[in-house]
Amino acid sequence: DAFRAVEDKKYQENDVIVFDGNNFNIDISVSNIWSGLVHANEPNNENTDLFVSDVSMSVSSGELDNSAGWICSKNFGKAYNSANIYNCKTNGIITGIGSGGIVGSNMGENTTGNNRLSYCYTTGNISGASSGGITGANAGKNSKSLTIDKCYTIGNVLGSRGGGLLGNFGGTDCSNLLIENCYTIGYLDASFGGSGIGFNLGQGQGSYCAIENFYSRGDLSGSESFGITGINNNFSYPTN
């Protein structure tokens, strides 16, 4: 309800929809399961670009629903032209399967434009399986492109197949997934996980994934877990 104070723009063809938090901090204390502050997954918006910016959220109590995000819900921007998130931050614990600290699972799925997530960070442990500190599972699935730039997380990865930035199956069937200028701080104690990116990065035919200028700091434990990405990754580089 707090976010509805932002101007509500009508969904129109060839429109740009902007949700601007104006850098106000939103305090969240809920006794039930949280599914996200911004929900934007309506059909028939393939010509619309979607933006969320300048949202700060402090979570004192509550749990994330499966596949949800503290700021943006699951399926954020699905079947739009593009989904974009700028300068957002949260400090809540990331629970739920496939959830994310900023945005839930399937961000930008089936989009034809260029999706971007920049200047975002989270502080809080990642305890949900297949979850990520910034995005949930399946980020950029079946999309033209997804760039995650200048983002970081401070928190421990405790859920299996999870990652400090991205959850499980990031970039599946994504033509161009780029992660650059990002870092994570926290220990990893989860099977098949990565301090940066979770299990199964870049799966699917035609996927192209690149990681540039990325580092993580923290101790590692848990079977088949690694400092940057989890196991079973598929980096498929085009020939032209």
Side-chain angles (χ1 to χ4, degrees), residues 10-21:
K10 186 178 180 180
Y11 288 64
Q12 299 176 4
E13 190 175 12
N14 301 317
D15 200 0
V16 175
I17 302 171
V18 179
F19 297 90
D20 185 352

Side-chain angles (χ1 to χ4, degrees), residues 106-162:
N106 304 322
M107 175 192 171
E109 181 180 358
N110 297 335
T111 53
T112 55
N114 299 309
N115 305 292
R116 192 172 192 93
L117 202 156
S118 298
Y119 297 100
C120 295
Y121 71 85
T122 61
T123 56
N125 291 339
I126 304 158
S127 61
S130 299
S131 297
I134 298 293
T135 77
N138 293 316
K141 181 179 179 180
N142 193 33
S143 66
K144 177 182 177 182
S145 75
L146 171 62
T147 298
I148 298 176
D149 177 41
K150 297 180 180 66
C151 295
Y152 70 89
T153 61
I154 300 175
N156 303 316
V157 181
L158 307 175
S160 64
R161 307 190 181 209

Side-chain angles (χ1 to χ4, degrees), residues 45-130:
N45 282 289
E46 62 274 8
N47 294 311
T48 301
D49 294 302
L50 184 62
F51 292 84
V52 171
S53 68
D54 301 318
V55 180
S56 176
M57 180 178 290
S58 299
V59 182
S60 58
S61 65
E63 295 186 2
L64 275 175
D65 198 0
N66 291 337
S67 301
W70 282 116
I71 292 178
C72 299
S73 70
K74 66 180 180 180
N75 299 325
F76 175 74
K78 181 177 180 179
Y80 282 66
N81 184 58
S82 70
N84 306 273
I85 304 173
Y86 293 97
N87 193 33
C88 292
K89 49 190 176 288
T90 64
N91 70 349
I93 296 173
I94 301 163
T95 57
I97 299 172
S99 302
I102 299 294
V103 59
S105 64
N106 304 322
M107 175 192 171
E109 181 180 358
N110 297 335
T111 53
T112 55
N114 299 309
N115 305 292
R116 192 172 192 93
L117 202 156
S118 298
Y119 297 100
C120 295
Y121 71 85
T122 61
T123 56
N125 291 339
I126 304 158
S127 61
S130 299

